Amino acid sequence: MPNQPEMSPATKELLKKVRMMVPPMLEKFHKGMLGRVAVIGGSENYTGAPYFSAMASARLGADLSHVICTPPAANVIKTYSPNLMVHPIMRESPSPSAPSTLATPVIAMLTHLHSIVIGPGLGRDDLMQNTVAEVITAARERKIPLVLDADALLLVQRRPELVKGYKECVLTPNVVEFGRLAESVGLDTKGDTGQEGCKALANALGGVMVVRKGGVDWISDGTDEQTVKSDGQGGKKRSGGQGDTLTGSIGTLLAWRNMYLDGAWDTEGGMGREETLMLAAFGGSAITRECSRLAFGKKGRSLQASDLTDEVPVAFETLIGEKEESKL
């Protein structure tokens, strides 16, 4: 049993609420009901990020984890794990296909998904960016929850109208991405590293949920009610790829949120859409920070993103666990 993490009383209370969204393991549930999550990203030069995100989703407990990527990336990602469903649909420039054409088979999958993560390994190619813009628009029309990170945030920076006002959307910027997003919507957040800047960006984007990553993570949709701090102890190594564990974890929690809101079991708490969106973002942050803490304790400065993947189920059991086994 790993040593227990340090956390504030407020964090403990929020984790108890996250636990209310975790579906029990019931015999009546069939394949796919405990989460169908897709990660859109993965290009010729970036194959690790979508894998880490999709594996975090799977290791947290999603039934089905998809990766939608380019053919060169698909050939590589398939060798990483047989547990992921990999779809070589995306294309980079030059390509004779229009973004709307490339997006069509992805959009056809949307009705079979509970949530979508967009951005890990996406890259900045115009065709890739324009294709996911089509997908975001279609997902929004169908009210499918989105998690946007990495180069998907560049798309938001350029075209904020794609997500503005969409209250089923979570953005997960790091310090540099946050500054660029803030500047793109006319905010001056220089010198602000905490709550107020996070709320301001969320408000400027019409109430999307923002996870402002840092020494502590601030999470807000712009309202006082849904603004919280994730202050769980993390590791001290900032290797690339740790944010992919965050996006995949949030993706699975959003899938479970759907089940909770649909009353798929005898739920408790009476929580609504706004609160449960915040809790999914908070839960993903808390789990990722705990993965980092556990992995750093074992690996120290040699820690890599893959070390967090191995800790996802341990972090879940430590922080949340099954109801009768909760550690808090």
Side-chain angles (χ1 to χ4, degrees):
M1 176 65 64
N3 61 319
Q4 295 298 297
E6 299 176 3
M7 65 182 73
S8 65
T11 292
K12 290 184 179 182
E13 289 304 311
L14 286 167
L15 286 170
K16 289 178 181 178
K17 287 191 171 185
V18 174
R19 175 61 193 83
M20 294 179 188
M21 293 198 307
V22 178
M25 306 289 286
L26 302 180
E27 290 186 1
K28 70 175 183 178
F29 292 157
H30 56 75
K31 181 175 69 175
M33 287 188 68
L34 293 182
R36 301 185 295 274
V37 182
V39 177
I40 303 179
S43 50
E44 184 173 10
N45 293 328
Y46 304 107
T47 59
Y51 165 77
F52 293 135
S53 182
M55 281 302 296
S57 174
R59 295 300 300 274
L60 186 54
D63 280 351
L64 303 172
S65 292
H66 301 262
V67 176
I68 300 171
C69 58
T70 66
N75 292 334
V76 176
I77 295 169
K78 287 178 181 180
T79 69
Y80 293 159
S81 173
N83 296 312
L84 304 178
M85 286 158 286
V86 185
H87 310 270
I89 296 172
M90 302 291 286
R91 294 293 186 275
E92 294 180 271
S93 304
S95 170
S97 300
S100 57
T101 301
L102 293 170
T104 297
V106 183
I107 293 170
M109 296 175 62
L110 295 182
T111 56
H112 304 291
L113 298 172
H114 290 122
S115 64
I116 307 170
V117 177
I118 303 178
L122 182 68
R124 300 187 175 193
D125 177 80
D126 285 343
L127 183 58
M128 294 281 280
Q129 292 267 319
N130 291 332
T131 301
V132 297
E134 299 273 349
V135 175
I136 289 170
T137 299
R140 183 170 181 171
E141 290 171 354
R142 293 159 177 78
K143 296 181 170 56
I144 297 173
L146 300 172
V147 185
L148 272 58
D149 187 43
D151 285 321
L153 298 177
L154 176 64
L155 182 61
V156 175
Q157 179 184 327
R158 293 171 172 171
R159 299 174 59 184
E161 72 278 3
L162 285 170
V163 301
K164 189 172 185 178
Y166 186 43
K167 298 185 179 181
E168 293 288 310
C169 181
V170 180
L171 309 183
T172 61
N174 61 26
V175 61
V176 174
E177 293 161 343
F178 184 92
R180 290 171 178 166
L181 284 169
E183 184 178 357
S184 74
V185 294
L187 292 177
D188 181 5
T189 59
K190 291 179 181 177
D192 180 295
T193 59
Q195 174 181 357
E196 292 308 314
C198 187
K199 288 174 64 177
L201 180 59
N203 272 318
L205 290 171
V208 303
M209 191 67 66
V210 175
V211 180
R212 186 179 190 178
K213 298 182 289 192
V216 298
D217 296 341
W218 283 100
I219 299 162
S220 180
D221 67 357
T223 67
D224 291 337
E225 294 79 8
Q226 310 306 337
T227 297
V228 297
K229 178 171 65 173
S230 176
D231 59 1
Q233 183 183 0
K236 296 179 181 179
K237 177 69 183 294
R238 302 290 184 261
S239 61
Q242 296 188 49
D244 302 314
T245 294
L246 172 65
T247 58
S249 297
I250 295 175
T252 291
L253 288 165
L254 287 173
W256 292 347
R257 167 180 177 259
N258 283 356
M259 295 183 68
Y260 175 88
L261 293 172
D262 289 344
W265 71 94
D266 187 14
T267 60
E268 57 182 318
M271 300 180 294
R273 302 196 73 86
E274 293 83 5
E275 184 176 13
T276 51
L277 185 69
M278 176 274 289
L279 289 170
F282 175 85
S285 169
I287 287 168
T288 303
R289 297 177 74 88
E290 176 65 1
C291 288
S292 178
R293 183 188 76 89
L294 292 168
F296 182 74
K298 296 175 181 178
K299 304 291 186 176
R301 67 175 64 247
S302 72
L303 180 148
Q304 297 296 308
S306 56
D307 298 317
L308 270 69
T309 305
D310 296 336
E311 302 296 345
V312 170
V314 182
F316 171 79
E317 289 297 332
T318 301
L319 297 179
I320 302 170
E322 304 302 334
K323 186 173 182 179
E324 64 277 9
E325 300 170 358
S326 178
K327 308 300 188 299
L328 300 178

